[in-house]
Amino acid sequence: MKTQTLQSIQEVEEDFIRTIPILDNYCTSNQKKMLQESATRHIYRKNNVIFYDFQPASFIYIIYKGKLKLWMEGIHSHDMIVSFAKDGDILGYRGCGQKTKYNLSATTIEDSCIYIVSKDVFGQILQENQELYHQVLWKYVGKLGMVEKKLRNMAEMNVREKTADAILHLTEEFGLDGDEATLAIKLSREEIASIAGISTDRIVKQFSEFEEDNLLEVHGQCIKILDKSRLEKIISQYL
């Protein structure tokens, strides 16, 4: 899977709604038209911050193409990556409710094309469309459950388990390249450490141990999984 380039994602079609399953499946024709006419398209380069934690939630972000990390500032100013977003995901709908601030920060991890809609427009559509409202609510509840499980596991897992869990999570989230072994996402050691909730030094040391155990091959930001079943066995008690 190749990383999107800025040039390729600029060539997007204007009828973007049909590429966002939750909107295409549950919005009425008039609501799709309203979103289409009110949305503005933005191209963000890799490592651009889209919004910050506790910033006023004024907009909804619809990801047409790209990948983002959602993070929060942890202990001693070390960022912790809580989850990810990719093609077809919607961010910021929490701002449509009474709480008007984002609860996480969002940063691109590759060049991305994102459509932005005001929370007032999106909130009006949610009020009119109960089916869409419930779909958005269940997606939010599902994400919240995943975050709670991640935080609980981080409190209980040792370094080896946290590292294996982070690699398997990335596999589930982004898949593998054509060789069916290499992660289809390239992240720095610092970013993977932020997912696992450990220091960069510890992630580097654990990668070396996994390579010695023939579990992984690591070359720069390319991670090749050699034995997925053994990685899963490491965290089997938490599955």
Side-chain angles (χ1 to χ4, degrees):
M1 182 181 296
K2 295 182 179 179
T3 300
Q4 295 287 335
T5 64
L6 192 64
Q7 181 178 6
S8 68
I9 61 177
Q10 284 178 326
E11 300 168 358
V12 298
E13 55 192 298
E14 291 304 318
D15 184 17
F16 76 95
I17 297 296
R18 67 185 183 88
T19 69
I20 314 299
I22 193 171
L23 300 180
D24 190 43
N25 292 335
Y26 296 101
C27 284
T28 66
S29 297
N30 287 338
Q31 290 166 347
K32 291 178 183 178
K33 183 178 179 181
M34 184 187 304
L35 286 171
Q36 194 76 46
E37 292 176 348
S38 62
T40 57
R41 189 184 71 183
H42 297 258
I43 304 295
Y44 295 92
R45 291 189 180 275
K46 180 180 179 180
N47 293 327
N48 278 179
V49 177
I50 309 303
F51 55 80
Y52 283 103
D53 186 12
F54 296 117
Q55 178 181 326
S58 302
F59 300 101
I60 306 300
Y61 298 85
I62 303 170
I63 304 172
Y64 181 82
K65 291 289 183 184
K67 297 182 180 71
L68 290 80
K69 60 182 179 183
L70 302 176
W71 55 275
M72 61 190 297
E73 189 173 301
I75 300 174
H76 306 306
S77 298
H78 290 170
D79 297 338
M80 180 172 65
I81 296 176
V82 176
S83 63
F84 294 91
K86 52 187 184 295
D87 299 4
D89 285 339
I90 301 174
L91 301 177
Y93 43 72
R94 183 174 181 265
C96 293
Q98 294 180 346
K99 296 183 178 180
T100 57
K101 295 182 179 181
Y102 299 115
N103 60 342
L104 294 170
S105 301
T107 302
T108 56
I109 52 179
E110 68 177 29
D111 294 341
S112 302
C113 177
I114 300 174
Y115 284 86
I116 299 179
V117 179
S118 77
K119 73 170 186 178
D120 294 333
V121 170
F122 198 78
Q124 178 184 337
I125 291 174
L126 288 181
Q127 286 182 336
E128 296 173 353
N129 189 329
Q130 287 298 302
E131 192 169 9
L132 177 63
Y133 172 82
H134 286 112
Q135 290 297 320
V136 169
L137 178 63
W138 282 118
K139 283 181 73 71
Y140 179 73
V141 170
K143 281 281 187 182
L144 186 61
M146 290 172 59
V147 171
E148 289 176 346
K149 181 180 178 181
K150 173 184 172 65
L151 294 175
R152 184 175 63 251
N153 287 347
M154 285 176 62
E156 298 175 355
M157 288 178 172
N158 59 37
V159 171
R160 185 176 177 84
E161 292 167 338
K162 288 178 180 179
T163 306
D165 186 56
I167 297 301
L168 291 171
H169 175 71
L170 290 172
T171 303
E172 183 178 349
E173 188 76 35
F174 297 108
L176 302 171
D177 278 339
D179 64 358
E180 296 298 323
T182 304
L183 287 179
I185 182 71
K186 292 179 174 58
L187 298 173
S188 67
R189 300 290 189 278
E190 291 79 7
E191 287 173 317
I192 297 176
S194 295
I195 299 168
I198 58 180
S199 69
T200 304
D201 289 343
R202 286 187 172 184
I203 206 77
V204 170
K205 181 179 179 181
Q206 193 58 61
F207 275 177
S208 295
E209 291 183 13
F210 278 176
E211 287 188 292
E212 291 174 4
D213 294 339
N214 292 317
L215 293 171
L216 298 178
E217 265 183 24
V218 183
H219 301 285
Q221 294 189 354
C222 292
I223 298 175
K224 185 174 183 179
I225 298 174
L226 302 179
D227 197 329
K228 185 179 178 182
S229 62
R230 287 172 60 203
L231 284 175
E232 291 172 337
K233 188 175 181 180
I234 291 173
I235 61 167
S236 58
Q237 65 175 308
Y238 302 98
L239 296 178

